[in-house]
Amino acid sequence: MANRKRPIILRCPVTAEERTLIEQKMAQLQTRRIGAYLRKMAIDGYIIYVDTKDIKEMNKLLSTIGRNINQIAKRVNAGGPSYQADMEEIRESLISHKWQKKKVVKSLRCRYLAKSHVVNCSAQSQTFDFVNFRGACFSKVNFKDAIFYGCDFWGTSFKDCSFQNVEFRDCVFMACKFKNCNLTNAKFSYSTIVNTSLAGCHNIDISSGVNIYNVYPTCKISDDLEDALQNLKGNRNLKKTKLLFISDTKYNYLNLFLLQRRYGDYLPVLLYELAIHSTEGITTYRKLERVLDKLQTPAII
C-alpha cells in the first residue's frame, strides 16, 4: 500500500441504476477499468453549467405581462363608459403614404386626441365638436369646408394644410402654428386666440367676437376659488384634459381667466357644484362652459 502510485482512495456511493448508466458509458469507450474511467472523467471531463438567472427573470416578466393582458381583456369585455374614456387617451396616428389612397379623418365629437399625428389625409366637409387637439400635429391635411365647434388647440401645429371655407366657432387657440396653410375664406367666430401668429394667414374673417391676446392672460385666485379648485384636483377626467390644471402645481390660467370673465364671483360656487357631478365627456373649454351653464341656475339659487 505504501508503494502505491495513487495512495488516496475516494469512495462514491451510487445506486444500482446509476451504476448501470456508468457501465453503459464505459462500454462506449471500450474500457472495463471503472477506476480509470471515473478518474479520467473527474479530471478531464467537461463541466457544462447553465446560468438560468436571465431565463428566470424573463419568465417573471412574461408572467407579469400575462396578468396585465388578462386585466386589459377583462376591462375590454366589461365595456361601459369608463372603458370608452380610457380609449380616448390613446393617441391617434393617421398617416397616408404617397403610394396610398388618402385616408379620411371622419367627423368626431367629444374626443381627447392629444399629441395625435395626422399626415396627408382628407377631412373635407367633416364636423369636429368639442375635440381636444392639444399638442397634435397636422401635415398636408385637407380641411376644406370643415366645421370646428368648441375645439381646443393648445400647441397644435398645422403645416401645408388647407382650411378653405372652414369655420372655427367657439374654439380656443393657444401657441398654435400655421405654416404654409391656405385659410382662404376661413371664418373665426367667438373664439379665443392666444400667442398664435396669424400673420401668414390671408383672407380670413375674424370679425365676429374673436379675442386675440399676444400675452398669456393671468387671473387672481381668491381663497374661495383656491378651495374649489383643490376640491377638483383629484378629478381624473379634468386632470387628463388639463382644463383646470396644467400640472399638479400649475393652474390653467387661460381657462380660469375665461371662466372668471364669464361667471365672475359665482365661479367657485359652480366649481363646487361641478365636483358632485360627472365630468365625463368634458373634453374642451367650451364643453366645460356648457356644463357650468347648466349648473348655474340651481347653484345661484
Side-chain angles (χ1 to χ4, degrees), residues 92-201:
E92 291 286 332
S93 181
L94 195 61
I95 301 174
S96 297
H97 298 284
K98 291 182 179 179
W99 62 87
Q100 294 178 318
K101 181 180 179 181
K102 279 193 175 183
K103 297 179 181 177
V104 177
V105 183
K106 296 183 179 180
S107 297
L108 297 169
R109 179 180 175 83
C110 294
R111 294 290 303 276
Y112 183 70
L113 300 179
K115 299 183 179 179
S116 300
H117 287 77
V118 181
V119 180
N120 196 28
C121 297
S122 174
Q124 185 171 347
S125 303
Q126 303 298 316
T127 301
F128 303 94
D129 295 332
F130 309 114
V131 180
N132 194 320
F133 293 104
R134 172 185 288 270
C137 297
F138 296 89
S139 178
K140 298 180 180 178
V141 180
N142 180 16
F143 289 105
K144 183 180 178 182
D145 298 322
I147 297 175
F148 294 86
Y149 174 70
C151 295
D152 279 3
F153 301 92
W154 281 63
T156 309
S157 64
F158 301 95
K159 181 181 179 181
D160 300 321
C161 295
S162 174
F163 293 96
Q164 189 175 356
N165 303 325
V166 166
E167 181 178 358
F168 294 98
R169 190 167 69 249
D170 287 305
C171 294
V172 176
F173 296 84
M174 167 61 193
C176 294
K177 295 181 179 179
F178 293 89
K179 184 177 181 180
N180 299 328
C181 293
N182 178 11
L183 284 93
T184 303
N185 296 326
K187 182 178 181 180
F188 294 75
S189 59
Y190 307 104
S191 296
T192 300
I193 302 174
V194 183
N195 289 346
T196 299
S197 176
L198 299 176
C201 303

Side-chain angles (χ1 to χ4, degrees), residues 2 28-29 110 171 185 216 223 258 273:
Q28 294 176 12
L29 296 176
C110 294
C171 294
N185 296 326
Y216 189 79
D223 291 340
L258 297 175
E273 186 72 15

